[in-house]
Short mmCIF file of all heavy atoms in Angstrom, two decimals:
data_model
loop_
_atom_site.label_atom_id
_atom_site.label_comp_id
_atom_site.label_asym_id
_atom_site.label_seq_id
_atom_site.Cartn_x
_atom_site.Cartn_y
_atom_site.Cartn_z
N ALA A 158 10.25 -4.66 -16.31
CA ALA A 158 9.65 -5.53 -15.35
C ALA A 158 9.07 -4.78 -14.21
O ALA A 158 8.03 -4.98 -13.69
CB ALA A 158 10.66 -6.59 -14.97
N LEU A 159 9.93 -3.80 -13.80
CA LEU A 159 9.49 -3.01 -12.66
C LEU A 159 8.21 -2.17 -12.90
O LEU A 159 7.32 -1.92 -12.12
CB LEU A 159 10.65 -2.17 -12.09
CG LEU A 159 11.75 -2.87 -11.39
CD1 LEU A 159 12.99 -1.89 -11.10
CD2 LEU A 159 11.29 -3.54 -10.11
N LEU A 160 8.26 -1.56 -14.13
CA LEU A 160 7.06 -0.72 -14.59
C LEU A 160 5.91 -1.55 -14.52
O LEU A 160 4.74 -1.14 -14.20
CB LEU A 160 7.43 0.01 -15.90
CG LEU A 160 8.24 1.13 -15.86
CD1 LEU A 160 8.60 1.62 -17.25
CD2 LEU A 160 7.59 2.23 -15.09
N ARG A 161 5.92 -2.76 -15.16
CA ARG A 161 4.71 -3.66 -15.15
C ARG A 161 4.14 -3.87 -13.73
O ARG A 161 2.95 -3.87 -13.52
CB ARG A 161 5.14 -5.07 -15.89
CG ARG A 161 5.15 -4.96 -17.39
CD ARG A 161 5.18 -6.40 -17.95
NE ARG A 161 6.39 -7.13 -17.58
CZ ARG A 161 7.53 -7.01 -18.11
NH1 ARG A 161 7.76 -6.28 -19.10
NH2 ARG A 161 8.55 -7.72 -17.71
N GLU A 162 5.06 -4.23 -12.82
CA GLU A 162 4.68 -4.38 -11.47
C GLU A 162 3.96 -3.23 -10.90
O GLU A 162 3.01 -3.29 -10.13
CB GLU A 162 5.74 -5.03 -10.62
CG GLU A 162 6.19 -6.31 -10.95
CD GLU A 162 5.04 -7.31 -10.83
OE1 GLU A 162 4.37 -7.32 -9.75
OE2 GLU A 162 4.97 -8.23 -11.71
N MET A 163 4.53 -2.04 -11.13
CA MET A 163 4.02 -0.80 -10.57
C MET A 163 2.62 -0.55 -11.23
O MET A 163 1.73 -0.10 -10.39
CB MET A 163 4.97 0.39 -10.90
CG MET A 163 6.26 0.28 -10.00
SD MET A 163 7.35 1.80 -10.00
CE MET A 163 7.34 2.29 -11.76
N TRP A 164 2.36 -0.75 -12.49
CA TRP A 164 1.07 -0.47 -13.11
C TRP A 164 0.09 -1.44 -12.51
O TRP A 164 -1.00 -1.01 -12.17
CB TRP A 164 1.13 -0.75 -14.63
CG TRP A 164 2.06 0.27 -15.28
CD1 TRP A 164 2.20 1.64 -15.00
CD2 TRP A 164 2.86 0.08 -16.53
NE1 TRP A 164 3.10 2.19 -15.94
CE2 TRP A 164 3.50 1.35 -16.83
CE3 TRP A 164 2.97 -1.12 -17.30
CZ2 TRP A 164 4.38 1.38 -18.05
CZ3 TRP A 164 3.90 -0.91 -18.43
CH2 TRP A 164 4.45 0.31 -18.66
N HIS A 165 0.56 -2.75 -12.26
CA HIS A 165 -0.43 -3.74 -11.74
C HIS A 165 -0.86 -3.27 -10.24
O HIS A 165 -1.98 -3.43 -9.95
CB HIS A 165 0.25 -5.10 -11.81
CG HIS A 165 -0.66 -6.25 -11.49
ND1 HIS A 165 -0.72 -6.76 -10.26
CD2 HIS A 165 -1.49 -6.84 -12.16
CE1 HIS A 165 -1.52 -7.70 -10.32
NE2 HIS A 165 -2.10 -7.86 -11.46
N LEU A 166 0.29 -2.93 -9.53
CA LEU A 166 -0.07 -2.59 -8.15
C LEU A 166 -0.89 -1.27 -8.00
O LEU A 166 -1.76 -1.20 -7.18
CB LEU A 166 1.24 -2.44 -7.35
CG LEU A 166 1.90 -3.71 -7.00
CD1 LEU A 166 3.35 -3.47 -6.42
CD2 LEU A 166 1.16 -4.61 -6.16
N ASP A 167 -0.72 -0.35 -8.94
CA ASP A 167 -1.43 0.90 -9.03
C ASP A 167 -3.00 0.52 -9.18
O ASP A 167 -3.89 1.06 -8.55
CB ASP A 167 -1.05 1.78 -10.19
CG ASP A 167 0.17 2.52 -9.85
OD1 ASP A 167 0.64 2.74 -8.62
OD2 ASP A 167 0.79 3.22 -10.85
N GLY A 168 -3.22 -0.43 -10.12
CA GLY A 168 -4.58 -0.93 -10.31
C GLY A 168 -5.20 -1.54 -9.03
O GLY A 168 -6.37 -1.24 -8.75
N LYS A 169 -4.46 -2.37 -8.43
CA LYS A 169 -4.91 -3.01 -7.24
C LYS A 169 -5.22 -1.95 -6.01
O LYS A 169 -6.30 -2.02 -5.41
CB LYS A 169 -4.01 -4.02 -6.65
CG LYS A 169 -3.97 -5.37 -7.49
CD LYS A 169 -2.91 -6.39 -6.92
CE LYS A 169 -3.50 -6.98 -5.74
NZ LYS A 169 -2.68 -8.17 -5.37
N VAL A 170 -4.33 -1.00 -5.89
CA VAL A 170 -4.52 -0.03 -4.89
C VAL A 170 -5.73 0.77 -5.16
O VAL A 170 -6.54 1.09 -4.33
CB VAL A 170 -3.26 0.90 -4.82
CG1 VAL A 170 -3.60 2.18 -4.02
CG2 VAL A 170 -2.11 0.25 -4.24
N ASP A 171 -6.07 1.21 -6.52
CA ASP A 171 -7.15 1.96 -6.78
C ASP A 171 -8.42 1.11 -6.62
O ASP A 171 -9.47 1.73 -6.20
CB ASP A 171 -7.04 2.42 -8.24
CG ASP A 171 -5.99 3.52 -8.40
OD1 ASP A 171 -5.57 4.17 -7.40
OD2 ASP A 171 -5.72 3.83 -9.61
N ALA A 172 -8.31 -0.20 -6.80
CA ALA A 172 -9.52 -0.95 -6.55
C ALA A 172 -9.78 -1.10 -5.15
O ALA A 172 -11.03 -0.89 -4.72
CB ALA A 172 -9.15 -2.47 -7.17
N PHE A 173 -8.89 -1.23 -4.28
CA PHE A 173 -9.11 -1.13 -2.77
C PHE A 173 -9.67 0.16 -2.37
O PHE A 173 -10.58 0.18 -1.53
CB PHE A 173 -7.84 -1.59 -2.05
CG PHE A 173 -7.64 -3.04 -1.94
CD1 PHE A 173 -6.52 -3.59 -2.60
CD2 PHE A 173 -8.39 -3.94 -1.38
CE1 PHE A 173 -6.22 -4.99 -2.53
CE2 PHE A 173 -8.18 -5.31 -1.22
CZ PHE A 173 -7.01 -5.87 -1.98
N GLN A 174 -9.22 1.18 -2.98
CA GLN A 174 -9.81 2.59 -2.68
C GLN A 174 -11.23 2.53 -3.03
O GLN A 174 -12.01 3.11 -2.31
CB GLN A 174 -8.89 3.65 -3.37
CG GLN A 174 -9.38 5.02 -2.98
CD GLN A 174 -9.11 5.31 -1.51
OE1 GLN A 174 -7.96 5.20 -0.92
NE2 GLN A 174 -10.23 5.71 -0.76
N PHE A 175 -11.53 2.16 -4.29
CA PHE A 175 -12.90 2.08 -4.72
C PHE A 175 -13.83 1.26 -3.67
O PHE A 175 -14.91 1.71 -3.28
CB PHE A 175 -13.04 1.41 -6.04
CG PHE A 175 -14.58 1.01 -6.41
CD1 PHE A 175 -15.31 2.08 -6.91
CD2 PHE A 175 -15.13 -0.07 -6.31
CE1 PHE A 175 -16.62 1.81 -7.28
CE2 PHE A 175 -16.42 -0.41 -6.61
CZ PHE A 175 -17.11 0.62 -7.11
N VAL A 176 -13.34 0.09 -3.25
CA VAL A 176 -14.05 -0.63 -2.23
C VAL A 176 -14.25 0.13 -0.89
O VAL A 176 -15.22 0.06 -0.28
CB VAL A 176 -13.35 -1.95 -1.94
CG1 VAL A 176 -13.98 -2.71 -0.82
CG2 VAL A 176 -13.38 -2.89 -3.30
N TRP A 177 -13.21 0.83 -0.49
CA TRP A 177 -13.16 1.63 0.67
C TRP A 177 -14.26 2.75 0.55
O TRP A 177 -15.06 2.88 1.33
CB TRP A 177 -11.86 2.22 0.94
CG TRP A 177 -11.72 3.01 2.23
CD1 TRP A 177 -11.95 4.41 2.28
CD2 TRP A 177 -11.19 2.52 3.40
NE1 TRP A 177 -11.73 4.74 3.56
CE2 TRP A 177 -11.27 3.64 4.33
CE3 TRP A 177 -10.83 1.32 3.94
CZ2 TRP A 177 -10.92 3.52 5.64
CZ3 TRP A 177 -10.49 1.19 5.24
CH2 TRP A 177 -10.51 2.32 6.16
N ASP A 178 -14.20 3.40 -0.63
CA ASP A 178 -15.14 4.46 -0.89
C ASP A 178 -16.58 3.96 -0.93
O ASP A 178 -17.49 4.79 -0.52
CB ASP A 178 -14.90 5.17 -2.19
CG ASP A 178 -13.51 5.97 -2.04
OD1 ASP A 178 -13.02 6.23 -0.99
OD2 ASP A 178 -12.89 6.43 -3.15
N CYS A 179 -16.89 2.81 -1.36
CA CYS A 179 -18.34 2.30 -1.44
C CYS A 179 -18.59 1.54 -0.16
O CYS A 179 -19.57 0.75 -0.23
CB CYS A 179 -18.54 1.57 -2.62
SG CYS A 179 -17.87 -0.08 -2.79
N ALA A 180 -17.83 1.60 0.85
CA ALA A 180 -18.06 1.07 2.20
C ALA A 180 -18.15 -0.55 2.08
O ALA A 180 -18.89 -1.14 2.91
CB ALA A 180 -19.35 1.72 2.83
N GLY A 181 -17.45 -1.12 1.10
CA GLY A 181 -17.50 -2.60 1.09
C GLY A 181 -18.81 -3.19 0.57
O GLY A 181 -19.03 -4.41 0.88
N VAL A 182 -19.69 -2.44 0.07
CA VAL A 182 -20.98 -2.93 -0.38
C VAL A 182 -20.78 -3.97 -1.54
O VAL A 182 -20.32 -3.60 -2.66
CB VAL A 182 -22.03 -1.79 -0.85
CG1 VAL A 182 -23.26 -2.35 -1.31
CG2 VAL A 182 -22.18 -0.91 0.37
N LEU A 183 -21.01 -5.13 -1.26
CA LEU A 183 -20.70 -6.27 -2.36
C LEU A 183 -21.34 -6.09 -3.67
O LEU A 183 -20.81 -6.31 -4.69
CB LEU A 183 -20.98 -7.68 -1.75
CG LEU A 183 -20.01 -8.10 -0.75
CD1 LEU A 183 -20.42 -9.42 -0.20
CD2 LEU A 183 -18.56 -8.31 -1.40
N SER A 184 -22.77 -5.51 -3.68
CA SER A 184 -23.36 -5.42 -4.91
C SER A 184 -22.67 -4.36 -5.84
O SER A 184 -22.62 -4.58 -7.00
CB SER A 184 -24.78 -5.08 -4.69
OG SER A 184 -24.90 -3.84 -3.97
N GLN A 185 -22.17 -3.32 -5.24
CA GLN A 185 -21.42 -2.28 -5.89
C GLN A 185 -20.15 -2.79 -6.46
O GLN A 185 -19.76 -2.58 -7.67
CB GLN A 185 -21.28 -1.06 -5.05
CG GLN A 185 -22.44 -0.26 -4.77
CD GLN A 185 -22.13 0.94 -3.96
OE1 GLN A 185 -21.04 1.13 -3.45
NE2 GLN A 185 -23.23 1.83 -3.64
N ILE A 186 -19.40 -3.62 -5.65
CA ILE A 186 -18.19 -4.15 -6.06
C ILE A 186 -18.36 -5.20 -7.23
O ILE A 186 -17.62 -5.12 -8.21
CB ILE A 186 -17.46 -4.85 -4.86
CG1 ILE A 186 -17.31 -3.79 -3.68
CG2 ILE A 186 -16.08 -5.35 -5.33
CD1 ILE A 186 -16.80 -4.39 -2.39
N ARG A 187 -19.30 -6.07 -7.03
CA ARG A 187 -19.70 -7.05 -8.08
C ARG A 187 -19.96 -6.34 -9.44
O ARG A 187 -19.69 -6.71 -10.46
CB ARG A 187 -20.72 -7.97 -7.73
CG ARG A 187 -20.06 -8.95 -6.64
CD ARG A 187 -21.25 -10.03 -6.34
NE ARG A 187 -20.69 -10.86 -5.37
CZ ARG A 187 -21.14 -11.08 -4.05
NH1 ARG A 187 -22.23 -10.44 -3.63
NH2 ARG A 187 -20.57 -11.87 -3.27
N SER A 188 -20.77 -5.28 -9.32
CA SER A 188 -21.18 -4.40 -10.57
C SER A 188 -19.91 -3.85 -11.18
O SER A 188 -19.78 -3.92 -12.41
CB SER A 188 -22.09 -3.34 -10.12
OG SER A 188 -22.49 -2.49 -11.22
N LYS A 189 -19.00 -3.39 -10.33
CA LYS A 189 -17.74 -2.80 -10.92
C LYS A 189 -16.85 -3.90 -11.59
O LYS A 189 -16.23 -3.62 -12.50
CB LYS A 189 -16.93 -2.10 -9.80
CG LYS A 189 -15.76 -1.38 -10.32
CD LYS A 189 -16.02 -0.44 -11.27
CE LYS A 189 -15.96 0.98 -10.77
NZ LYS A 189 -16.05 2.08 -11.85
N VAL A 190 -16.84 -5.14 -11.02
CA VAL A 190 -16.14 -6.26 -11.60
C VAL A 190 -16.66 -6.51 -12.96
O VAL A 190 -15.96 -6.66 -13.87
CB VAL A 190 -16.24 -7.57 -10.68
CG1 VAL A 190 -15.86 -8.69 -11.45
CG2 VAL A 190 -15.36 -7.39 -9.48
N GLN A 191 -17.97 -6.57 -13.06
CA GLN A 191 -18.55 -6.85 -14.32
C GLN A 191 -18.22 -5.73 -15.31
O GLN A 191 -17.92 -5.98 -16.48
CB GLN A 191 -20.03 -6.99 -14.11
CG GLN A 191 -20.86 -7.26 -15.39
CD GLN A 191 -22.44 -7.53 -15.30
OE1 GLN A 191 -22.83 -7.27 -14.15
NE2 GLN A 191 -23.01 -7.77 -16.32
N GLU A 192 -18.26 -4.47 -14.94
CA GLU A 192 -17.85 -3.32 -15.79
C GLU A 192 -16.43 -3.46 -16.32
O GLU A 192 -16.23 -3.29 -17.51
CB GLU A 192 -18.09 -2.10 -15.04
CG GLU A 192 -17.79 -0.91 -15.78
CD GLU A 192 -17.88 0.41 -14.93
OE1 GLU A 192 -18.88 0.52 -14.07
OE2 GLU A 192 -16.99 1.31 -14.91
#
């Protein structure tokens, strides 16, 4: 159960890092969502 939560949170943290790195440009984020 703890490993599942850690994997899930790792994904969320990496997503926020992606958003940070692309300066919050919605078109880039939406494209990544689709991908």
Side-chain angles (χ1 to χ4, degrees):
L159 290 173
L160 283 172
R161 278 192 301 275
E162 289 303 314
M163 289 188 321
W164 295 327
H165 190 261
L166 289 171
D167 282 346
K169 286 182 76 171
V170 167
D171 288 349
F173 281 112
Q174 185 63 55
F175 170 81
V176 171
W177 184 271
D178 292 344
C179 73
V182 176
L183 286 174
S184 61
Q185 290 180 356
I186 302 167
R187 288 186 179 115
S188 177
K189 183 59 101 173
V190 165
Q191 184 176 0
E192 177 186 321

